[in-house]
Each structure stands twice: as C-alpha cells, then as structure tokens.
Amino acid sequence: MRPSSPRAAGTDEYLMLIGGVWSAGTDGGWIEVEDPARRRPAGRVPRGGAEDVAHAVRSAATAFPAWRGENPAYRGHALLRIADDVEAETERLARLLSTETGNAIRRQTRPEVIGAARLFRYFGGVAGEAKGETVPLGDGLLNYTIREPLGVVGGIIPWNAPVQLASVKIAMALATGNTLVLKAAEDAPLAVLELARICARHLPPGVLNVVTGYGEEAGAALLAHPDVAKLSFTGSTEVGRIVMRAAADRIVPVSLELGGKSPAVVFPDADTDAVAAGVVDGMRFTRQGQSCTAGSRLLVHESIFDSFLDRVVTAISRLRMGDPLDEGSDIGTVINPVQYGRIRGYIESGVADGGRLLTGEIPQTSSPDRGLFVSPAVFTRVQPSWRIVREEIFGPVLVALPWRDEAEAVRMANDTHYGLAAYVWGRDLGRALRTAHSIDAGWVQVNRGLGQLPGISYGGIGRSGIGREFSWEGALDGFTHRKTVTVDTRM
Ligand code: NAD
C-alpha cells in the first residue's frame, strides 16, 4: 500500500514524492530544517541526489504520455479538486509554513496558502482553453496550430514563498499537459511536501514528483538531466545564470523568475498615510523584505520627502514583530543565520557609508540564538552608487532618495540592472500612468502595493528574468510549443 503522507510515522522525517511513492532517497543522507523563530529543528528531509532525480525524471517521463493525452478539462478538474483540498487544509499548511520560514501566519502564510488555492482554481478553470489557430491559405489548404506540452518540466523554487511558488509551477505545468519534477528549497521544503501530498490524491502517480536536496546536488542534477524538456527556475540572479547555461548546453527552453531592486515613485500629491501604508506593504516588511517584488528603493519628490518619510516611519511603528505563530504578529523572522548575517552586513555598510537610519538598527549580534528577528530599517541620505541602493538585500531594508522632476524620477527608477516590479503613487493618474509606461519593469502597480493575483502576467526583464507566470498566457508561452499542421485538402 502507498503511504499517504510525506511524514514517516512517529518521526520528524519528511519524505520525497517520486512516482507516487514517498521515498527517503538513495544515499540515506538528511537535511535538517530549522524553525528560525525558535532556533530548533522543524523536521528533516532527504538529501536527494542525482540518482533520486533520475528516478523522479523517469517517473515523470513514464506518466507523460497518458497525462498529455487526457482531455484538458479533466486535467483542469484535478486542479480544481486540489484547490478545494488546499483550502480545507489552510490552517495546517499555514502553521507548518510559518514554522519553517519564520513568516507571520496572519500577514503572510495564511494568505499565501489561500492564494495557492486560488492559483489552482484559476489554472483549473482555464485548462481547457489551450486553443490553436487556423491560418487562411486559400482553397485547398488547411493550416492550423496545436498547443503541445513540452514533456518533463524541471522546476526549482526558493524558500521565501514556497507554497505559492510551488503552486504556480505545479498548476501551470500540469494544466498545459506536462509532468513535473519540482525541487523544493532546502530551507523550506516541509509545507511543499504537504502540498504534494494533497496534489497526489488527485493525480496519477508520476505526474508530480517533489525532490528535496541541496542546489548543487539535486538541483544541478535536475538541470543536467537529458530527459528534462524545460527548466523553470525561481530564485537568485546568480543561480539563474547557472540554470541558463545548463539550458544552453542542452538547447531546452528556460524561464527565470529572478531578483529585483524595485522602485516606488511617490508624487507630491500622494503625501498621505494611506500611500505610506501602501509603500510599507509594497516593501513587504511583513515578509521581512524577503520578496523579489519588494519596492525597496523609495523615490520621493523633494517637496514632501521629510513629511512622507515621517508617515512611512509611523506606518512601520504600527507593525508588531514577534512569534510567527502568534495572530498578533505582523513581522516574523528572516530565514536563516546566513541571510541574517547578510542583512546585518548591508545595514552596517549603509551606516558606515554615512547613511541615516530613520528607523531600525544594526542587529546586535552576528548570530542570535533566540530567533532571527531584524527590525525594519529605513535609510535616507544615501547615494545612488552605494551597495544598499544598488543590490538586492532580500531583507527589511528600505532606502529613500529625493527627486526634483518627473524625468529625474524615471531616470532614477531605471537606474538598475533589474526590472521586475515597480510602484507609482500619485493622484494625477495621467502623470502616474505616463511614469508607469516609462519605467522598465515587468510589472508596474499604480496606487497598489499588494502581491500577484492569478491571471496577471508576472515576471521580469533584464537581470530579473525571462518569461511570465501566474497567467494563462504565461503558461501557454512557457509550458507549450505551437505545432503547425498544414493539410492539402485536394489530395
Ligand atoms: P537561490 O537562487 O539561492 O536558490 C533558489 C533555488 O535554487 C533553491 O531551491 C536552491 O537549492 C537552488 N539552487 C541553488 N544553487 C543551485 C545550483 N547550482 N543548481 C541548481 N539549483 C540550485 O535563491 P534563494 O536564496 O533561495 O531565494 C532568494 C532569491 O530568489 C532572491 O534573489 C529573490 O529575488 C528570488 N526570487 C524571485 C522570485 C520571482 O518570482 N522573480 C520569487 C521569489 C524569490
């Protein structure tokens, strides 16, 4: 009988899903997953390697012909049932997710799980819409196109919003008729494995496989596997380059959802508390700034610079930092000691360079044993060339710079190699839209600071990546190819 749970009975060991079976991995090694708020073990997962990945790819390849041949509406129906079950288990998943990531349950992990159910529902609903086209070529010729799945997709995700990112990859790959091998992040694999348990209930064995392990081991093996037909990666720009090189070696399509250093431009007519709260939302302080879309460069018109920053500091002061599982907490912990040390280093460098901390502080110790808490930090008096202004920190650090006119604001917004997200705040909508159209980014929000919604095409340009996710158009472009059939009807 197939065990129905990734968690081995009576232990804190979670297993991988390979070919519909929960598996401990071939070499017997384990990775400890830490609860970063309590600094104690949250569970452990197999240290998967090349052999496990090969097994998972074989299982996905075996499952592919039947899954691809299914009526797309049937595939969609499976995703709809997954959506219902994810929703029914929201609390359990959200608690586990808070435990392994340190993200606060009320502000981040519960909404993340609810959002994941919505993603499955959206892609389940549109799965039957993989329509082709007919091309008129005159009498005697019929030309039409079919959207074909690519085969076995290799997906790799980071730790910052693992259930959301796993869900979008699973739903997009499966709705379009592919099978998937997904590698979870080593820091946050537990809720993803529980999500896999729910998915497996509604899927034939091998359609979805989830492996755990280190990037340089399981991840690299997935990138290099000759039977993986497409690489779909979400993570850092640095590793994105490795993924793209691996795709180039085998000439397979690749999508990359990478980092960002996104601008938030505030016009003089937006000096309000509501906009300040929106900027704080956009900076994702309630995920400790660990978001690729974080609006981490705040560009404010000089006439309102001081008053607006006062409002931002007041909005931040209302956020409560504490136990991620406490309903009263708005802010939890950062993910691991390495990330904690990196963020601390950035705050130190900003202070050393002469920046002014309006709120926040340099974390006292380099390795706290109580919980990896970092207070939100806001810097002014910074220079555009500084590291804290140019580099993605992936932590709760906002830098603010003044500008004089619209052209300068646009120039500053575009002064980055990234191009993922941007935010424009202003009541004069003509001006706000003109600015939105001038900013080089994949996703610009005007007077809104919240996250992605199912159906919007999300992704970056420049060093923020290639491809679009969250939308049906993105799924068709990224997970299918267009086959053309030309028929001479006179024969
Ligand atoms: P990371 O790139 O270090 O790791 C991401 C994943 O890649 C992990 O599963 C890791 O195990 C794997 N990996 C690492 N080295 C690998 C290798 N050599 N071969 C194959 N796989 C490898 O990123 P992270 O620190 O986990 O996440 C933070 C980064 O992710 C930030 O840069 C952030 O902006 C980005 N991110 C982007 C999006 C987006 O949608 N654009 C969303 C979330 C996070």
Side-chain angles (χ1 to χ4, degrees):
M1 215 186 88
R2 280 163 49 196
S4 58
S5 164
R7 191 160 177 183
T11 72
D12 62 353
E13 290 170 357
Y14 290 72
L15 306 177
M16 303 185 278
L17 180 66
I18 300 181
V21 175
W22 295 103
S23 157
T26 42
D27 84 350
W30 294 89
I31 297 175
E32 303 292 335
V33 179
E34 189 181 78
D35 170 347
R38 292 173 177 74
R39 304 296 321 271
R40 68 180 188 206
R44 54 185 197 148
V45 294
R47 180 173 171 174
E51 225 174 296
D52 303 303
V53 167
H55 184 187
V57 173
R58 234 177 3 257
S59 303
T62 305
F64 177 60
W67 185 247
R68 153 203 203 146
E70 286 292 357
N71 180 338
Y74 166 87
R75 293 197 294 257
H77 196 228
L79 298 182
L80 294 173
R81 290 196 309 256
I82 291 171
D84 290 345
D85 284 6
V86 168
E87 203 165 62
E89 290 201 41
T90 298
E91 284 312 301
R92 183 175 172 194
L93 288 168
R95 287 187 72 80
L96 186 58
L97 194 51
S98 283
T99 305
E100 62 181 331
T101 60
N103 290 336
I105 190 161
R106 178 173 55 82
R107 295 298 297 264
Q108 173 58 30
T109 62
R110 190 179 292 122
E112 181 177 334
V113 175
I114 292 169
R118 290 189 182 139
L119 278 167
F120 280 108
R121 198 159 282 137
Y122 167 75
F123 283 105
V126 292
E129 296 292 312
K131 292 173 182 161
E133 302 112 17
T134 56
V135 181
L137 293 175
D139 286 347
L141 281 180
L142 167 66
N143 192 91
Y144 63 92
T145 62
I146 307 170
R147 288 289 190 166
E148 296 253 335
L150 301 172
V152 177
V153 172
I156 298 182
I157 54 170
W159 43 261
N160 64 323
V163 165
Q164 179 198 49
L165 298 170
S167 298
V168 77
K169 293 216 190 294
I170 296 169
M172 291 201 308
L174 270 49
T176 45
N178 302 277
T179 55
L180 178 66
V181 177
L182 182 71
K183 194 201 84 66
E186 43 273 55
D187 285 299
L190 305 183
V192 171
L193 290 169
E194 290 290 351
L195 175 70
R197 167 181 59 78
I198 294 173
C199 294
R201 255 184 230 154
H202 303 290
L203 298 171
V207 167
L208 169 66
N209 306 272
V210 178
V211 295
T212 54
Y214 292 115
E216 300 75 10
E217 298 175 358
L222 189 55
L223 299 185
H225 198 291
D227 296 335
V228 172
K230 147 101 192 181
L231 298 173
S232 174
F233 173 78
T234 302
S236 61
T237 299
E238 200 185 358
V239 177
R241 286 195 183 97
I242 297 173
V243 177
M244 198 153 174
R245 277 188 212 114
D249 281 345
R250 296 194 292 106
I251 320 279
V252 292
V254 58
S255 15
L256 303 171
E257 295 281 353
L258 308 177
K261 187 78 180 177
S262 300
V265 176
V266 183
F267 279 99
D269 59 359
D271 187 14
T272 68
D273 290 339
V275 173
V279 162
V280 169
D281 283 339
M283 175 53 214
R284 307 284 185 270
F285 276 125
T286 53
R287 207 196 296 160
Q288 301 74 255
Q290 300 170 129
S291 162
C292 46
T293 42
S296 52
R297 284 188 298 137
L298 178 58
L299 309 177
V300 185
H301 190 260
E302 60 178 4
S303 67
I304 59 162
F305 192 80
D306 291 335
S307 57
F308 187 74
L309 277 152
D310 280 349
R311 295 181 198 277
V312 169
V313 170
T314 304
I316 291 171
S317 70
R318 297 206 181 96
L319 301 176
R320 216 183 100 194
M321 187 160 72
D323 182 350
L325 289 171
D326 184 337
E327 291 292 333
S329 299
D330 298 290
I331 298 176
T333 69
V334 302
I335 187 76
N336 60 33
V338 173
Q339 189 65 11
Y340 180 93
R342 274 190 76 230
I343 297 166
R344 182 171 185 263
Y346 274 110
I347 299 175
E348 262 175 354
S349 90
V351 171
D353 284 342
R356 176 166 171 229
L357 263 181
L358 281 191
T359 184
E361 63 203 359
I362 301 173
Q364 302 261 306
T365 149
S366 57
S367 178
D369 52 11
R370 299 190 62 140
L372 304 175
F373 292 98
V374 182
S375 302
V378 179
F379 273 103
T380 57
R381 296 194 196 151
V382 296
Q383 293 300 321
S385 60
W386 291 2
R387 285 181 57 219
I388 55 166
V389 179
R390 304 208 71 78
E391 296 175 14
E392 182 186 48
I393 299 175
F394 223 57
V397 184
L398 177 67
V399 294
L401 297 101
W403 50 270
R404 278 182 300 274
D405 58 42
E406 197 179 312
E408 187 182 26
V410 169
R411 206 164 45 243
M412 289 168 78
N414 288 338
D415 183 18
T416 174
H417 295 299
Y418 290 114
L420 189 53
Y423 306 82
V424 179
W425 299 92
R427 282 204 192 135
D428 177 342
L429 269 189
R431 185 168 61 178
L433 291 179
R434 195 165 62 228
T435 305
H437 295 179
S438 305
I439 293 179
D440 300 327
W443 185 31
V444 186
Q445 298 198 70
V446 176
N447 295 333
R448 181 180 189 271
L450 302 175
Q452 302 93 321
L453 296 166
I456 69 166
S457 277
Y458 172 74
I461 59 171
R463 291 190 195 165
S464 292
I466 298 172
R468 295 292 177 265
E469 297 194 335
F470 287 85
S471 68
W472 185 234
E473 295 77 22
L476 289 176
D477 288 348
F479 290 85
T480 70
H481 72 91
R482 234 193 210 97
K483 177 187 276 180
T484 296
V485 181
T486 310
V487 186
D488 188 333
T489 58
R490 290 163 301 201
M491 286 288 282

